[in-house]
Amino acid sequence: MKSSLVIKAGLILSIVVMTVTGAYAQETKAQKKAEAAAKIKSLIEARKYVFVAQSALPMSGRVRQITPDYHLTVTADSIVSYLPYFGRAFTAVYGATKSPLDFKTKSFDYTNTPRKKGGWEIAIKPKDQDVQSMNLTVFDDGYGSLQVTSNSRQPISFNGYIQEIKERKKKR
């Protein structure tokens, strides 16, 4: 009788501990998600972030997984695009050896509109490039999709994520 009372008390105690631990874990998970969303929001509002491409989706062909070296860096005064291109070109530049999506510009239009279900729609229109528009859809969790439309090439899309710009150490 005494041993069954001890077993029941131990069982009740373990249920209480699991319930409290589970509730705490859910609170911390929700807090981490809210902090991540706030960080992404601050990066986008400050216009100081990097879109790191993970996969490329050309109009024709298959999805290509790419290395994390490819990126689109956005700052308040410039755009640096280092992205690959897979697709059909309607006109070609003679002697071109680098990707048409590998450029730097300080002349561009930038609009940022919040989405109804969270996240942002960002439209970037470089003025001095073959690229007509770059539409970036960013979700609260930091993942996003970039659609690039060009004047003389098929459109291409990229999936990836947003992160803050890492400062590079200067060599002495």
Side-chain angles (χ1 to χ4, degrees), residues 9-137:
L11 184 61
I12 291 173
L13 182 62
S14 64
I15 290 173
V16 168
V17 168
M18 283 189 259
T19 305
V20 170
T21 306
Y24 177 74
Q26 287 182 358
E27 286 179 19
T28 57
K29 188 176 181 180
Q31 288 172 348
K32 286 180 183 179
K33 191 173 182 180
E35 289 172 5
K39 183 178 179 181
I40 296 298
K41 181 178 181 180
S42 68
L43 290 174
I44 289 177
E45 287 178 351
R47 285 173 53 168
K48 193 172 183 180
Y49 58 89
V50 177
F51 172 77
V52 179
Q54 293 178 313
S55 62
L57 297 90
M59 284 294 288
S60 57
R62 59 184 174 83
V63 176
R64 297 171 187 242
Q65 301 302 319
I66 56 178
T67 63
D69 300 332
Y70 295 107
H71 58 84
L72 174 73
T73 304
V74 177
T75 59
D77 63 342
S78 68
I79 301 286
V80 178
S81 174
Y82 181 66
L83 296 168
Y85 181 77
F86 309 101
R88 181 178 174 198
F90 303 118
T91 60
V93 178
Y94 180 73
T97 58
K98 66 179 192 173
S99 169
L101 301 180
D102 184 5
F103 63 88
K104 297 176 184 178
T105 184
K106 292 186 180 236
S107 176
F108 62 94
D109 292 328
Y110 182 95
T111 57
N112 174 12
T113 54
R115 298 181 65 212
K116 291 181 182 178
K117 294 185 177 184
W120 301 268
E121 292 285 341
I122 300 166
I124 302 167
K125 296 185 180 186
K127 295 180 180 177
D128 57 353
Q129 299 296 323
D130 182 47
V131 175
Q132 185 176 359
S133 67
M134 302 174 98
N135 297 313
L136 179 62
T137 303

